[in-house]
Amino acid sequence: MRRLEGKFCIVTGAARGIGLAIARRFHDEGASLLLTDVDADTGIPAAEALGADFLLLDVREEEHWAELARLHPACDVLVNNAGITGFEHGPAAHDPENASLAEWHAVHRTNLDGAFLGCRYAIRAMKAKGDGSIINISSRSGLVGIPGAAAYASSKAAIRNHSKSVALYCAGQGWRIRCNSIHPAAILTPMWEAMIGVGPDRDAKMAAMVADTPLKRFGTPDEVAAMAAYLAADESAYVTGSEFHIDGGLLAGSAASPGD
Ligand code: NDP
């Protein structure tokens, strides 16, 4: 049986990468879908390929969420996936000593404000039915410190905690609206492809990037999508306020032996 039959699902940042993989998986599971992104040029054909609708939605903009609520006052599943590292336009100082306040705010505005606005929309869109699933894409970086990407780590940690507040708030209202966070690490998406390149040293670069990962490889967007499908489906009805790692074992501990 297709697990998302009869559910209306919305994915942010769905034009490419993990968001697109989630949208594809939800489509395969029978969902009716709305793909949203800031990049309409890529997002529209991606949505069309799935027979889905597309909406230009910048997760930072409150009025974009208001427009979504006007067009779609009800939904069953929202995936708050859109996120940035802050390095999209090249290297910059993101350590706690040298990061600029403007860059700190920019990362939080997309990652954290975007997730807050998304959760708020979803609660209002789900409460009439009293049922639904909110899935927030955090990161491994939301669980450990990242000295060179402090704003990213801070924003992802805040998403982790806000997911639990949302889960408890909804449960406290007597609704079956669930909220959980997914914490990926090193998932091979266009974000990484730009750093790896297609040169003769591609394999060596990739191996170096996952040298600390116990499973010694990148994860795939489809592997994250499988986890999202579980959290979207009714089979996870007893799961809320939880966090799900998908990181090749990185968070399990140190690879160092006691003798090291
Ligand atoms: P990508 O950069 O490949 O895709 C992100 C998509 O979100 C892009 O289409 C991007 O558009 C869009 N986007 C950016 N800003 C906004 C915004 N303000 N409003 C709406 N859409 C926006 O990222 P990934 O697929 O790799 O990552 C998806 C999520 O997973 C992110 O939250 C990321 O932090 C998280 N994650 C990813 C990991 C990885 O290894 N890939 C590891 C841990 C977490 P545009 O390209 O035009 O900017």
Side-chain angles (χ1 to χ4, degrees), residues 246-260:
I246 176 158
D247 64 356
L250 257 179
L251 283 167
S254 168
S257 71
D260 286 348

Side-chain angles (χ1 to χ4, degrees), residues 10-67:
I10 304 172
V11 184
T12 71
R16 66 180 209 181
I18 292 171
L20 179 58
I22 292 173
R24 285 187 178 135
R25 179 62 188 258
F26 282 14
H27 171 262
D28 291 347
E29 295 280 1
S32 66
L33 268 175
L34 177 69
L35 277 66
T36 72
D37 203 286
V38 277
D39 179 357
D41 290 345
T42 313
I44 290 171
E48 279 174 358
L50 299 176
D53 288 332
F54 176 84
L55 180 71
L56 181 71
L57 186 147
D58 184 331
V59 296
R60 299 168 292 188
E61 301 298 338
E62 196 167 15
E63 54 281 20
H64 288 200
W65 287 102
E67 175 67 0

Side-chain angles (χ1 to χ4, degrees), residues 12-19 36-39 57-60 80-85 88 110-111 137-140 152 156 183-192:
T12 71
R16 66 180 209 181
I18 292 171
T36 72
D37 203 286
V38 277
D39 179 357
L57 186 147
D58 184 331
V59 296
R60 299 168 292 188
N80 286 308
N81 164 75
I84 60 168
T85 57
E88 281 73 15
T110 297
N111 295 358
I137 307 297
S138 174
S139 171
R140 162 199 178 252
Y152 183 73
K156 292 296 186 178
H183 299 259
I187 306 299
L188 196 55
T189 65
M191 192 181 89
W192 286 93

